[in-house]
Amino acid sequence: MMRRGFAAAVAVAVVGMSVAGCGSGYRPSKGEHGAPAATFTAHPAYAGLSEVPERLEADGTTVTVGDPDAPVTVRLYEDPRCPVCEEFETEGGAPQLREATIRRETRVQYTLASFLDDRLGGSGSKKAVNALRAALDAGKFAEYHDLLYANQPEESVDGFTDARLLALAGQVDGLRGPEFDSAVRTMKYRSFVTAAEKRYQKAGGEKDPRGPGTPTAEIEGVRIPAQYNGLLFDGKVFGKLLSDIRTRPRQWQDIPF
């Protein structure tokens, strides 16, 4: 996976293609005489992450955070134990994505993988995904998600225990309670954990039957290839890319990755 040392060069190339290309998955509607008409009406930004709506989609595995009418959709594939996901979430492009979501410019769809448990041993990924699903019931998924990555144990340490997950939940106002605590301790959402992992694996296709790797990002249905993943770790460039896609919606989908 390409890391920060290559981020600037790779990101400039991708952003350049986004400006020069043509076509997009998000199409503005046509005005009366065929001119593009604005389809994104600015609404007041949310006061903070705690006010951003979140929900489980009909597929039963996708957790969406953000305004349903936001003009740009970003899908993320992540595993809670993945240290590269932690880098993206705390130091890379995720803070810019978070701010864009608060401004109602983007919505984020999460597919939560748990494959690292099988590869490294333990159950921390599965327990964390289960706890995140329980947090969604309380309307606290986004806040808890960010807190888990900010306090991620070493990858080799199976550190997301029930006790640790509950202790961290205590830092999210209104999350701890009998229902959440029981869901964590009993693995209430085990079936969700399994289904989400299968959804992640399916996203790899025939080429990557174990899954596309984490973190993987898709913007407006276009997957950023692994060789360009360096842009995920440069916050300013990733933020600019999101802005470019929002303001030039025709110029993204046909980039020749």
Side-chain angles (χ1 to χ4, degrees):
M1 182 171 295
M2 192 167 296
R3 300 305 295 270
R4 185 174 289 122
F6 295 95
V10 172
V12 167
V14 173
V15 171
M17 286 189 287
S18 75
V19 172
C22 60
S24 172
Y26 166 66
R27 302 286 183 177
S29 61
K30 293 292 185 178
E32 181 179 357
H33 300 291
T39 59
F40 174 59
T41 302
H43 296 286
Y46 298 109
L49 197 60
S50 63
E51 289 194 1
V52 177
E54 49 191 42
R55 61 204 169 277
L56 181 66
E57 297 294 346
D59 65 5
T61 62
T62 300
V63 176
T64 298
V65 175
D67 185 341
D69 296 323
V72 177
T73 301
V74 178
R75 177 178 287 275
L76 294 175
Y77 298 89
E78 296 181 325
D79 186 309
R81 287 178 72 175
C82 170
V84 189
C85 296
E86 183 271 339
E87 182 179 357
F88 166 70
E89 286 290 342
T90 60
E91 303 175 26
Q96 295 280 347
L97 176 59
R98 188 174 305 117
E99 290 304 312
T101 302
I102 291 172
R103 293 193 302 267
R104 300 178 185 251
E105 296 169 359
T106 63
R107 59 176 177 165
V108 188
Q109 296 183 326
Y110 294 92
T111 297
L112 302 171
S114 51
F115 62 89
L116 284 174
D117 285 350
D118 293 336
R119 298 186 191 181
L120 300 173
S123 57
S125 289
K126 294 182 179 67
K127 285 180 176 292
V129 172
N130 173 75
L132 283 164
R133 175 64 184 85
L136 178 64
D137 277 354
K140 303 290 183 179
F141 172 90
E143 296 169 86
Y144 192 50
H145 168 273
D146 289 358
L147 188 65
L148 292 190
Y149 278 110
N151 294 273
Q152 186 191 67
E154 291 292 325
E155 181 183 22
S156 60
V157 177
D158 192 30
F160 279 137
T161 62
D162 291 349
R164 181 59 175 159
L165 290 166
L166 291 171
L168 289 171
Q171 300 180 35
V172 179
D173 186 38
L175 180 54
R176 287 294 300 270
E179 291 187 9
F180 176 82
D181 291 9
S182 176
V184 170
R185 293 191 176 106
T186 64
M187 280 291 291
K188 177 180 178 179
Y189 294 107
R190 189 183 305 273
S191 61
F192 170 82
V193 175
T194 300
E197 170 62 19
K198 289 181 178 178
R199 172 67 176 82
Y200 163 74
Q201 292 174 0
K202 184 178 180 180
E206 294 182 1
K207 185 177 297 186
D208 298 301
R210 295 199 302 174
T214 57
T216 289
E218 296 172 356
I219 307 177
E220 286 297 286
V222 178
R223 181 171 300 178
I224 298 176
Q227 63 266 35
Y228 293 137
N229 253 15
L231 72 88
L232 296 178
F233 304 95
D234 188 316
K236 290 183 179 180
V237 174
F238 189 66
K240 183 179 186 301
L241 177 61
L242 293 174
S243 178
D244 284 349
I245 293 171
R246 178 173 62 84
T247 58
R248 302 180 178 90
R250 292 182 180 275
Q251 300 173 348
W252 171 243
Q253 187 160 358
D254 290 343
I255 293 175
F257 283 131

